Amino acid sequence: MSEQNHELKVYAPPAALAAGAHVSGMAAYLKLAAEAEADYEGYWGRLAREFVSWKKPFTKVLDESNAPFFKWFEDGTLNVSYNCLDRNVERGLGDKTAIIFEADDGAVTKVSYAELLARTCRLANGLRSLGVKKGDRVVIYMSMGIEGVVAMQACARIGATHSVVFGGFSAQSLRDRIEDAGAVLVITADEQARGGKALPLKSIVDEALALGGCDSIRNVIVYQRTGGKVALNAPRDLWLHELTYDRPTTCEPEWVSAEHPLFLLYTSGSTGKPKGVQHSTGGYLLHAALTTKWTFDLKDDDVFWCTADIGWVTGHTYITYGPLACGGTEIVFEGVPTYPDAARFWKTIEKHKVTIFYTAPTAIRSLIKAAETNPATHPKHSDLSSLRILGSVGEPINPAAWEWYHANVGGGRCPIVDTWWQTETGGHMITPLPGATPLVPGSCTLPFPGITAAIVDELGEDVPNGQGGILVVKKPWPSMIRTIYGDPERFKKSYYPPELKGYYLAGDGASRDAERGYFTITGRIDDVLNVSGHRMGTMEIESALVAHTDLVAEAAVVGRPDDTTGEAICAFVVLKRSRPTGEEAKAIAKELRDWVAKEIGPIAKPKDIRFGDNLPKTRSGKIMRRLLRQVAKGEAVTQDISTLENPAILEQLAQTN
Ligand code: 6R9
């Protein structure tokens, strides 16, 4: 046993919480895991009957005949919006608050399940009136708010496959996604309110459509959020309120097969353009509901707050679908954590008596910093006694941030569920269960019951605990990615490489400790960066840079560790003109940052830009990214550079500007 394991601090679940939890105690966890191991299909079939309401029950749980294109519950039919809305109303929860909307300016709007259902039906009827039907793709480019959730639910209701594009993406990125999805309609807002500012949405949609290649789009529906001035291009563009105001508040759901695509969500991979991760209806809904209930121990009187944006998978599963499928009450937050000041999260928890709070390590780390510089924003000034469970998602949480979160936000009494999962996995994969799993800061602990996460070597052989390796999932699971939209070959190649024995390749490295078998995620093993919990492909950023053909000859992008954002983007650029220095270098770096923001979105802006006469390459012409990673970190290059064509370049690239 390594010395390190003895130093691990372990936090047992609080006794009272454990006693009343849905999964109570380690014995209950082990029992569920054993049930899944003994009869895998029996286990998932049982839960699918318990957690999902079926129009027509399924007769077969898992179809592996066309692996890795697995099918779950395929002959069962259902509707996700029925499960999230009607079902709760039928159970007597019509008057229960479904969503508490906390706007950027602090205004609060509450909607009940009955109201949310009525609004969803109105929009669903409006969409149908425009000819949107089952299987059509609808792009949603919205701010955070009730209407975004309604838009997603309305698509689900009529069997249209939504593809939400994060409101921070540029016109170019939006265009690419619209084209790839072949969407028939865009739902957007006039503007979004963030941090006291109104930021454009509709005008970006106009710009995206003007870029060309979006001929599939027939209509643009515009939700009036700020009242800012926008151009409405008739008959293509319609106000959402005009489309929906006199529509019926009931709408027969489209009953679809469990395998019907509920949504596409574009995410970055290690190569080329973002990929449209396609999710199913039945298996996805099951895992969304199940993990919301077990991982967060969600109860009827909880107030759940996931701070993610609906543009990311976390917002899909833990805002739009999971909490509503469980009949919960949740906060939907429009603003940013630092407006009007960095106490916004803590004040909002106090204001709405939030009991379960789910956020990202990058937010925690930046709020720690903020509390240090401006002590008035420290969580101790807010009454956080309503909290009972905390969660973390998006990137590894370092033990120091974990301890701060636990002590200062959770008052030392709230378990932190550090949930490892991905856009592709649909829901939590490795996570503590708050009433069962003893916690170790920095570890996402153990697989969710039924999930066969493991660590293997390059040939798919298990590695012993205490040793690092490649994170895989051995068996298919209900909420897994079904394919990459329009590119099944890329799906197979990316996630099921032949040497891995049919295991799902997650793209992360991990290790398990020798004592408990707890997982610790060490980060991506491919060319994907994780900046503030956002996935960015290095190749995507490189392509954006070299697309500036007047200026850029060549570019290489790597990540370097960053205290606040986890990783920071570092770009090495060779210009078509001579290498700039001083003020000129600063000006060109700014121009390139703005360029990347325009090509992809502000989240992809490189933090560092270094200029070189060329890039370090092997004699065969390959850019040596490993060297660049060391240079980006500011470390002396210790590796053998004898194969390097131009060793002197390293010194030049080490200079910052
Ligand atoms: C849900 C989500 C997925 C990548 C994933 C991994 C990183 C997510 C994590 C974590 C360590 C955690 N990641 N959760 N790393 N501990 N609890 O974030 O999806 O945007 O697709 O990112 O994020 O590297 O592979 P997505």
Side-chain angles (χ1 to χ4, degrees):
M1 215 173 290
S2 76
E3 210 175 43
Q4 196 195 347
N5 290 332
H6 287 297
E7 289 172 7
L8 294 179
K9 264 201 203 156
V10 179
Y11 294 82
L17 191 149
H22 291 305
V23 180
S24 173
M26 252 339 240
Y29 166 83
L30 292 170
K31 195 168 159 225
L32 289 164
E35 181 191 342
E37 197 174 331
D39 178 6
Y40 195 64
E41 291 188 40
Y43 170 80
W44 288 115
R46 170 175 79 76
L47 294 169
R49 280 182 282 270
E50 265 174 43
F51 280 80
V52 176
S53 295
W54 299 86
K55 180 73 172 172
K56 176 170 150 280
F58 55 88
T59 60
K60 187 175 168 57
V61 172
L62 171 63
D63 177 357
E64 299 186 89
S65 60
N66 189 26
F69 300 93
F70 300 101
K71 290 176 178 161
W72 287 86
F73 320 116
E74 195 193 4
D75 66 346
T77 65
L78 73 159
N79 181 279
V80 164
S81 115
Y82 172 83
N83 272 267
C84 294
L85 303 172
D86 311 57
R87 180 170 68 156
N88 291 315
V89 174
E90 287 164 17
R91 284 175 180 168
L93 299 179
D95 292 334
K96 180 173 178 176
T97 299
I99 294 176
I100 303 169
F101 174 55
E102 165 85 16
D104 188 55
D105 64 2
V108 176
T109 317
K110 295 184 181 180
V111 285
S112 67
Y113 273 95
E115 287 160 358
L116 195 61
L117 171 61
R119 277 164 81 158
T120 298
C121 287
R122 279 199 170 144
L123 179 55
N125 286 323
L127 292 172
R128 274 190 179 149
S129 77
L130 295 172
V132 181
K133 53 182 198 313
K134 178 178 162 187
D136 285 344
R137 274 82 55 216
V138 171
V139 162
I140 298 174
Y141 187 66
M142 285 277 252
S143 51
M144 276 298 289
I146 297 166
E147 250 21 82
V149 175
V150 167
M152 294 164 81
Q153 290 282 352
C155 288
R157 193 156 193 97
I158 63 170
T161 300
H162 61 66
S163 180
V164 184
V165 177
F166 174 60
F169 277 118
S170 68
Q172 183 66 44
S173 294
L174 177 60
R175 190 217 75 92
D176 293 349
R177 285 157 175 77
I178 290 172
E179 183 184 44
D180 191 82
V184 300
L185 186 136
V186 180
I187 307 177
T188 189
D190 50 0
E191 296 175 314
Q192 54 183 331
R194 275 173 80 81
K197 289 192 225 103
L199 304 173
L201 284 171
K202 169 63 165 65
S203 64
I204 296 176
V205 174
D206 291 340
E207 222 182 293
L209 298 182
L211 287 168
C214 302
D215 299 343
S216 55
I217 293 291
R218 298 194 302 256
N219 292 107
V220 176
I221 299 179
V222 188
Y223 166 57
Q224 196 165 36
R225 169 66 192 107
T226 61
K229 218 171 154 247
V230 293
L232 231 52
N233 177 350
R236 187 195 70 186
D237 302 349
L238 297 140
W239 286 116
L240 184 134
H241 55 269
E242 288 182 2
L243 174 70
T244 56
Y245 82 98
D246 61 350
R247 303 273 163 204
T249 53
T250 56
C251 171
E252 177 63 15
E254 184 81 38
W255 304 104
V256 298
S257 153
E259 279 299 317
H260 181 70
L262 177 66
F263 66 87
L264 310 179
L265 185 55
Y266 285 81
T267 190
S268 297
S270 46
T271 53
K273 55 175 194 168
K275 42 197 181 186
V277 171
Q278 181 177 318
H279 276 287
S280 72
T281 294
Y284 172 80
L285 180 67
L286 164 61
H287 207 57
L290 177 66
T291 50
T292 301
K293 188 155 174 180
W294 288 1
T295 306
F296 298 115
D297 190 40
L298 187 76
K299 304 272 175 51
D300 289 344
D301 51 359
D302 273 313
V303 177
F304 178 81
W305 183 15
C306 165
T307 67
D309 190 286
I310 53 165
W312 309 115
V313 73
T314 305
H316 281 59
T317 307
Y318 300 107
I319 293 177
T320 302
Y321 294 118
L324 298 178
C326 293
T329 295
E330 64 175 331
I331 309 283
V332 169
F333 175 56
E334 180 177 46
V336 296
T338 46
Y339 178 81
D341 62 34
R344 181 68 185 268
F345 275 1
W346 325 132
K347 287 179 181 160
T348 304
I349 291 169
E350 174 178 322
K351 180 173 169 186
H352 299 296
K353 300 201 167 36
V354 171
T355 59
I356 306 168
F357 180 65
Y358 190 35
T359 196
T362 186
I364 300 295
R365 286 192 299 263
S366 64
L367 296 176
I368 294 173
K369 261 199 191 163
E372 279 164 6
T373 32
N374 177 9
T377 65
H378 194 280
K380 70 181 172 201
H381 302 298
S382 299
D383 176 4
L384 305 181
S385 59
S386 57
L387 286 171
R388 58 185 205 95
I389 290 162
L390 302 174
S392 173
V393 60
E395 51 181 319
I397 179 162
N398 50 307
W402 195 104
E403 295 284 3
W404 187 93
Y405 191 27
H406 188 256
N408 296 293
V409 181
R413 65 177 194 281
C414 305
I416 298 175
V417 289
D418 175 3
T419 59
W420 176 84
W421 61 295
Q422 309 176 293
T423 303
E424 294 88 340
T425 71
H428 301 153
M429 298 296 279
I430 308 177
T431 177
L433 301 183
T437 320
L439 306 174
V440 171
S443 166
C444 52
T445 74
L446 296 171
F448 191 86
I451 298 298
T452 53
I455 300 178
V456 300
D457 63 19
E458 282 81 5
L459 297 173
E461 297 297 333
D462 287 302
V463 303
N465 287 356
Q467 224 171 287
I470 301 170
L471 182 59
V472 296
V473 185
K474 291 190 169 179
K475 290 186 193 167
W477 66 100
S479 64
M480 66 188 296
I481 172 176
R482 292 307 194 266
T483 189
I484 291 175
Y485 186 73
D487 201 347
E489 277 312 307
R490 188 169 173 203
F491 164 75
K492 274 207 267 192
K493 238 176 85 190
S494 310
Y495 303 108
Y496 286 94
E499 62 280 11
L500 285 186
K501 300 182 166 178
Y503 300 159
Y504 167 84
L505 173 67
D508 281 310
S511 63
R512 302 183 76 157
D513 76 66
E515 197 177 334
R516 297 167 185 271
Y518 275 16
F519 287 75
T520 295
I521 309 296
T522 46
R524 300 289 304 193
I525 52 172
D526 53 13
D527 291 321
V528 172
L529 305 182
N530 191 326
V531 182
S532 296
H534 298 153
R535 268 168 75 166
M536 305 292 331
T538 52
M539 304 274 268
E540 248 178 289
I541 305 169
E542 286 169 12
S543 317
L545 284 166
V546 297
H548 196 318
T549 48
D550 292 346
L551 207 53
V552 178
E554 206 176 10
V557 169
V558 298
R560 65 163 172 78
D562 182 277
D563 281 350
T564 306
T565 57
E567 269 188 299
I569 302 168
C570 189
F572 295 90
V573 177
V574 181
L575 295 179
K576 285 188 169 164
R577 34 149 295 173
S578 62
R579 177 175 175 265
T581 52
E583 286 308 310
E584 197 186 2
K586 282 203 180 91
I588 297 178
K590 179 176 183 308
E591 182 178 345
L592 292 178
R593 277 192 195 97
D594 292 345
W595 173 265
V596 172
K598 190 172 89 44
E599 286 287 297
I600 304 176
I603 52 173
K605 277 189 190 180
K607 184 157 185 183
D608 302 346
I609 295 188
R610 314 245 180 121
F611 297 103
D613 293 325
N614 45 42
L615 296 172
K617 290 187 185 162
T618 61
R619 283 172 212 278
S620 62
K622 281 208 178 68
I623 296 174
M624 296 186 76
R625 287 164 197 285
R626 262 192 303 156
L627 286 184
L628 289 177
R629 276 194 276 271
Q630 271 193 307
V631 173
K633 269 196 226 172
E635 286 175 357
V637 172
T638 50
Q639 310 171 43
D640 177 13
I641 51 170
S642 56
T643 57
L644 202 60
E645 174 77 39
N646 47 348
I649 192 65
L650 292 178
E651 212 168 299
Q652 196 178 66
L653 292 172
Q655 291 166 28
T656 49
N657 50 70

